Amino acid sequence: MNEQQFIEALKKKGIELSEKQIAQFKKYFELLVEWNEKMNLTAITDLEGVYLKHFYDSISASFYFDFSKVTTVCDVGAGAGFPSIPIKICFPHLHVTIVDSLNKRITFLNHLSDELQLDNMNFVHARAEEFAQNAKYREQFDVVTARAVARLSVLSELCVPLAKQGGYFVALKAAAGAEELKDAKKALTTFGAALKEEFSFQLPVEESDRILYIFDKIKGTPKKYPRKPGVPNKSPIQ
Ligand SMILES: C[S@@+](CC[C@H](N)C(=O)[O-])C[C@H]1O[C@@H](n2cnc3c(N)ncnc32)[C@H](O)[C@@H]1O
């Protein structure tokens, strides 16, 4: 997907990018490729791949979840900024907090944010499960997002505690998400979330399957977790 196809595909979805936003995506691509030479940010570095598999894929969450109706977003494990930075570029009113456990990625994001002149951005170097114990962040966000961070059972612990009651957890998943959901039901309930809606669709051009899960935060997350925060991919919670 080249830049023009990206602009047209978003227009069809009701997102009309301004010259400023088009320039922000261009700069984002350039910085991602430049910084990727010094640190591991992404395996995708060709322009068409980045515009489709990072930028468009991230923004696809907004085709099903209306970001114009929320203000505060926390993106857990955003890595090089996905999905929240492309969403922020399209919805500039958002206040975005990114938490990532790898400091070099936070360094990149701070630089990126300055270069793109994004406002209301907050970058935190921490493990999400520990960050969520901080009263400043716990149950404070309208919506919590995650793409390609961990299985849904693990994401329940990392993401749901950060959403305020009445807020949402939005998970961007590939086709395997359906299997993960079966395993995650108990953990989602434990942390206070319930499935609201799910949307299956395909990424254009390469036609790979995607599922977007939207969870409601229906009750408070227990103050005492059922276990100590730990290594995400070794979570015993299924
Ligand atoms: C595979 S990358 C995905 C990055 C991005 N979301 C994307 O879609 O391209 C996973 C990211 O999650 C971060 N991460 C993993 N476990 C985490 C945790 N417990 N708390 C915060 N960040 C975590 C990693 O440092 C990494 O940047």
Side-chain angles (χ1 to χ4, degrees):
M1 176 178 276
N2 63 31
E3 187 192 54
Q4 201 51 39
Q5 290 165 331
F6 173 71
I7 294 165
E8 279 160 23
L10 289 185
K11 197 171 177 182
K12 279 195 194 134
K13 296 287 185 183
I15 299 174
E16 231 169 297
L17 296 180
S18 64
E19 288 303 317
K20 179 182 171 186
Q21 289 165 316
I22 292 168
Q24 283 174 314
F25 279 112
K26 203 179 181 116
K27 187 86 192 159
Y28 193 171
F29 167 70
E30 288 167 2
L31 289 169
L32 184 68
V33 172
E34 185 189 321
W35 279 60
N36 203 50
E37 284 172 14
K38 337 178 234 191
M39 63 175 68
N40 177 21
L41 291 169
T42 175
I44 303 165
T45 52
D46 63 300
L47 183 140
E48 301 218 338
V50 169
Y51 271 76
L52 175 67
K53 294 180 198 164
H54 283 323
F55 296 166
Y56 187 89
D57 189 42
S58 294
I59 299 163
S60 68
S62 75
F63 307 155
Y64 306 98
F65 180 86
D66 190 354
F67 283 90
S68 69
K69 294 209 172 110
V70 294
T71 305
T72 51
V73 178
C74 181
D75 193 8
V76 170
F82 308 118
S84 57
I85 304 255
I87 291 171
K88 164 75 180 174
I89 294 172
C90 293
F91 298 87
H93 74 283
L94 292 172
H95 292 223
V96 176
T97 295
I98 286 179
V99 53
D100 200 288
S101 52
L102 213 54
N103 202 28
K104 60 183 186 173
R105 299 206 167 124
I106 295 294
T107 305
F108 167 72
L109 291 170
N110 270 306
H111 179 75
L112 176 74
S113 175
D114 288 347
E115 290 286 316
L116 301 189
Q117 297 182 335
L118 302 177
D119 58 4
N120 297 312
M121 300 295 296
N122 183 22
F123 302 106
V124 183
H125 172 221
R127 295 184 68 82
E129 55 274 52
E130 285 153 15
F131 171 81
Q133 303 290 335
N134 182 335
K136 194 173 154 200
Y137 300 113
R138 186 186 176 79
E139 303 199 318
Q140 294 301 311
F141 298 95
D142 297 332
V143 54
V144 182
T145 56
R147 186 188 85 149
V149 178
R151 291 175 62 82
L152 273 175
S153 53
V154 176
L155 286 179
S156 308
E157 174 179 349
L158 303 187
C159 301
V160 178
L162 293 163
K164 58 168 75 157
Q165 283 188 57
Y168 307 91
F169 163 42
V170 172
L172 290 76
K173 285 280 165 191
E179 252 333 283
E180 291 180 25
L181 182 65
K182 287 187 204 155
D183 295 344
K185 293 222 160 108
K186 190 173 165 202
L188 286 159
T189 311
T190 302
F191 291 102
L195 183 65
K196 176 182 161 67
E197 284 174 297
E198 63 177 270
F199 299 93
S200 298
F201 60 100
Q202 285 188 328
L203 207 56
V205 189
E206 61 159 40
E207 299 183 346
S208 50
D209 293 320
R210 295 283 184 274
I211 311 179
L212 187 84
Y213 291 107
I214 301 175
F215 300 94
D216 277 327
K217 177 74 178 274
I218 51 168
K219 62 179 172 72
T221 298
K223 283 234 165 54
K224 272 201 165 178
Y225 282 15
R227 66 180 181 84
K228 279 188 186 165
V231 181
N233 60 11
K234 288 192 180 156
S235 172
I237 301 167
Q238 292 295 321

